[in-house]
Amino acid sequence: MKTSHTAFLISILLLASSSSLTHGLILNGLPIGAVRVNGVLFCSLDGNLVGNSPPLSGAIVQLSCAGSQTNLGQALTNPAGAFVVLVRILDTLLFDPSTCFVRVNLPVATCSVFPPNGALTASINLVNIVQTAILNIANFTTGPFISSVL
């Protein structure tokens, strides 16, 4: 009896692993296997480049969708203020570009001009889709950051 349950379980697992995702992210008619969001953050009142604003290094940037507190991915800004958030293939099921945004929670220790609390948020915009032999990668960039109170 135990072997029949084991064989049944193995056959179900094999079927599940061999079937493709039918409800994954589709953009421009292409199934998307990974999402990449690029942006740059500056030390200014709203996080955007204003005059000679220095880049913001060491800030944690999070990608969220549908107003959720659950993050699909996060990245740390480099010395040039640039970041890349990568979304894993399974998390693309939760990704909806129309409801996703990038968020930086305040305060950020490396920038004294930010308000003492709140967040900087930015929408995301599709740049292109790169097709590879393995999967399609959707590349997004951030729109302007705006300051908000949490």
Side-chain angles (χ1 to χ4, degrees), residues 105-116:
N105 291 325
L106 300 176
V108 175
T110 56
C111 182
S112 61
V113 300
F114 284 152

Side-chain angles (χ1 to χ4, degrees), residues 1-62:
M1 183 76 151
K2 186 176 181 181
T3 52
S4 65
H5 288 301
T6 304
F8 177 73
L9 181 61
I10 290 173
S11 64
I12 294 296
L13 288 173
L14 286 173
L15 282 172
S17 66
S18 65
S19 65
S20 64
L21 294 173
T22 57
H23 298 291
L25 177 63
I26 306 285
L27 295 174
N28 297 340
L30 297 170
I32 303 301
V35 172
R36 198 179 137 129
V37 179
N38 300 301
V40 180
L41 194 58
F42 293 92
C43 184
S44 66
L45 284 176
D46 60 7
N48 299 303
L49 179 60
V50 178
N52 291 329
S53 303
L56 183 59
S57 176
I60 297 172
V61 178
Q62 302 168 334

Side-chain angles (χ1 to χ4, degrees), residues 32 74-75 103:
I32 303 301
Q74 69 180 26
R103 179 180 66 232

Side-chain angles (χ1 to χ4, degrees), residues 78-150:
N78 68 14
F83 61 88
V84 177
V85 178
L86 298 172
V87 179
R88 298 174 302 174
I89 189 167
L90 291 177
D91 290 333
T92 62
L93 295 171
L94 305 172
F95 182 83
D96 177 359
S98 66
T99 66
C100 292
F101 59 94
V102 170
R103 179 180 66 232
V104 178
N105 291 325
L106 300 176
V108 175
T110 56
C111 182
S112 61
V113 300
F114 284 152
N117 56 23
L120 299 175
T121 58
S123 62
I124 60 171
N125 305 299
L126 180 64
V127 175
N128 63 19
I129 298 172
V130 176
Q131 294 178 286
T132 69
I134 301 171
L135 54 85
N136 298 322
I137 303 167
N139 290 302
F140 287 82
T141 189
T142 58
F145 282 89
I146 58 170
S147 183
S148 60
V149 178
L150 292 177

